[in-house]
């Protein structure tokens, strides 16, 4: 098992590294985001411990860049205490788990064990179906190169379709995934929003990606309409 520790504070980095080595890991240390990117692209690490607070490119940027360049080593993000935003952004940027400082070393090891058991697998943070792309973290959506402006509801609906591309979804499926409990309980609310969505992601581009399945519901074509 080979791990990369990304932390600019010398004492903290040495402490984590020593602990990992005692556990039988081979462990390297990177002190900047740039160094971490270079090392993690050159070596297939079994785990990366990545501090959010780094000078220059921070941990979130490093994580996003690694995933964008196809590095799928499990990443455990170290966040500031009470940094709820860090935790959410960490997971959205493609990290697998997070631990807030100060942490117990036993917990860090337990989480690393769980992550390395899972191993690297492709978990793209950006969803892609044909020429449709959607980034749940930045709330952006594109058809090809064109960014499409969606309302919150339209976005939630498209995300549900894209996570289930090729499957027929009933109106109830769509209501449960894209609407919270405060939705207006009208049977045609889904139909109305599907119409809005088609007008934004299909019609301007001359494609037809959301199919009506009579008597059942809707399906996003697996090819995204091409
Ligand atoms: Ca730091």
């Amino acid at each position: 098992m080979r791990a990369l520790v990304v932390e600019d504070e010398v004492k903290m980095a040495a402490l984590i590294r020593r602990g990992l080595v005692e556990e039988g890991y081979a462990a390297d240390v990177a002190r900047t985001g740039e160094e971490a990117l270079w090392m993690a692209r050159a070596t297939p690490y079994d785990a990366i411990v990545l501090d959010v607070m780094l000078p220059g490119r921070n941990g979130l940027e490093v994580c996003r860049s690694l995933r964008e360049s196809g590095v799928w080593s499990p990443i455990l993000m170290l966040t500031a205490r009470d940094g709820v935003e860090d935790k959410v952004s960490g997971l959205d940027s493609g990290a697998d788990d997070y631990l807030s400082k100060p942490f117990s070393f036993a917990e860090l090891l337990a989480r690393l064990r769980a992550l390395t058991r899972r191993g690297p697998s492709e978990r793209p943070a950006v969803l892609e179906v044909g020429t449709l792309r959607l980034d749940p973290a930045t709330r952006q959506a594109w058809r090809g190169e064109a960014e499409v402006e969606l309302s919150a509801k339209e976005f939630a609906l498209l995300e549900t379709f894209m996570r289930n591309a090729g499957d027929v979804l009933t109106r109830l499926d769509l209501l449960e995934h894209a609407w919270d409990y405060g939705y207006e309980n009208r049977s045609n609310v889904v139909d109305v929003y599907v119409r809005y969505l088609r007008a934004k992601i299909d019609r301007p581009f001359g494609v037809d990606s959301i199919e009506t399945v009579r008597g059942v519901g809707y399906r996003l074509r697996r090819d995204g309409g091409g």
Side-chain angles (χ1 to χ4, degrees), residues 65-121:
S65 276
L66 286 176
R67 296 317 191 208
E68 276 166 13
S69 57
V71 174
W72 301 106
S73 304
I75 294 180
L76 175 64
M77 192 87 86
L78 300 180
T79 66
R81 187 165 45 105
D82 301 330
V84 176
E85 274 177 36
D86 277 359
K87 291 168 192 168
V88 173
S89 336
L91 295 174
D92 279 343
S93 71
D96 297 276
D97 199 1
Y98 60 81
L99 193 57
S100 27
K101 286 178 169 178
F103 52 85
S104 83
F105 207 76
E107 186 172 8
L108 181 127
L109 289 175
R111 287 184 189 238
L112 280 183
R113 275 194 299 273
L115 287 184
T116 51
R117 264 201 304 273
R118 245 185 268 163
S121 58

Side-chain angles (χ1 to χ4, degrees), residues 7-9 51 53 101:
E7 167 65 282
D8 58 309
E9 292 153 59
D51 190 40
M53 296 292 289
K101 286 178 169 178

